[in-house]
Amino acid sequence: MTSKIIKHERQAMKQEAGEELSEAGLSVPPMGTPLTDMFARSISYLRISLTDHCNLRCQYCTPQEGRIKLANEELLRYEEILRVVRLAVSLGIKKIRLTGGEPLVRREVLSFIKELAQIPGLNDIRLTTNGVLLADHAEALRDAGISKLNISLDTLIPERFQQITGVDAFAKVWAGISKARELGFNPIKLNIVALKGINDDEFIDFARLTLMEPLQIRFIEFMPIGASALWDKSKYISSQEIMELLKPLGPLAPVEAKRMDGPARVYRLAGAAGSVGFISPISHHFCDRCNRLRLTSEGRLRSCLLSDQETDLRGSLRSGASDEEIRALIIAAILSKPKGHTISPDSAGDCHGQMSRIGG
Ligand code: SAM
């Protein structure tokens, strides 16, 4: 009986993915063909939320009350993630970022990364972390195959760190950054969510760090998403306004973007060892060059951070879908990638999901 139902579900699934492709006048492309969406964007980057659990409770990210964490069986299992990555890489995905939640709190994450790094054709695995557990894991991470890190840090003041994140862990994060520097991770990017009236008095100090340290400091515009208790329009500050605040440090010279660089517009202060980046999802949309696909912690494929349209891969993986069927679902998700997003300081647009599940 169960196997009949599964067979029926699989048939429906295969048909659905096939229909989406044929509606678009397409079939599963031969292996090695670049993945391209309906707006001629080449999709080569998969971001994976390994878990929705986090050891911080940042006010702008985590709902402060009533947060429901996923049960273990709801999380995509490591072997399921590895299968999706193998298939995605066979289709043309070249770069993976592990995020969350906090990826380093998931059990056995290092063994998982080692297996991930063995996937033929995948040479670029990156990690986004809040840094709390980084000092302990940095060496093992490097040995497992990660060389590029993004570390989130919104303040250089320990008491303020505790106010924003709910945890007294600034020293641990700072130790993690120092350890990563010592071990030669390159690049190390520090992500700062720009919060007017909360950390804007520190932007100069953050940018000044780049004079001596080869870090990329990246200011991210605060977005009205993720069930944030903190969001209100008055706390939003645009990249342009941040640049104005940095003027006392001298001119910012544009740095040429590299091929696999993200959405940041990057600049350098005269003589600086590092650089300053601006990620401006609100004031300066970068949808026309978005190359990303996301896998949420519960196994949904999401073609745009800021659109709730998702494809349930977990159901298909657990009901015996073939590799060909999973590939068809990946392609269908890419073909449904929206042209652009609709968030603004006045609206969360079509994004109501929890950031930690989607993977920021
Ligand atoms: N735990 C990891 C970390 O802290 O980097 C990864 C997950 S976290 C959700 C990823 C990034 O999303 C962080 O840099 C965080 O600051 C950013 N983020 C979360 N909510 C945001 C919001 N409402 N607006 C802008 N950035 C946000």
Side-chain angles (χ1 to χ4, degrees), residues 328-339:
L329 288 170
I330 296 174
I331 291 169
I334 288 171
L335 292 176
S336 68
K337 188 172 168 73
K339 185 169 186 206

Side-chain angles (χ1 to χ4, degrees), residues 143-160:
D143 296 346
I146 295 215
S147 59
K148 302 174 173 88
L149 285 178
N150 284 9
I151 305 166
S152 303
L153 181 65
D154 303 315
T155 174
L156 297 167
I157 304 169
E159 298 73 34
R160 190 177 278 178

Side-chain angles (χ1 to χ4, degrees), residues 47 54-56 58 60-61 99-103 128-131 150-154 191-193 220-226 228 355-356 359-360:
R47 296 170 67 102
C54 189
N55 44 0
L56 297 181
C58 299
Y60 58 77
C61 182
T99 177
E102 172 50 39
T128 296
T129 172
N130 57 33
N150 284 9
I151 305 166
S152 303
L153 181 65
D154 303 315
N191 286 345
I192 299 131
V193 178
I220 307 177
E221 287 179 347
F222 186 21
M223 294 180 278
I225 60 170
S228 160
M355 194 70 155
S356 54

Side-chain angles (χ1 to χ4, degrees), residues 191-204:
N191 286 345
I192 299 131
V193 178
L195 303 163
K196 197 180 211 161
I198 295 180
N199 62 0
D200 50 348
D201 56 342
E202 297 186 64
F203 294 168
I204 285 223

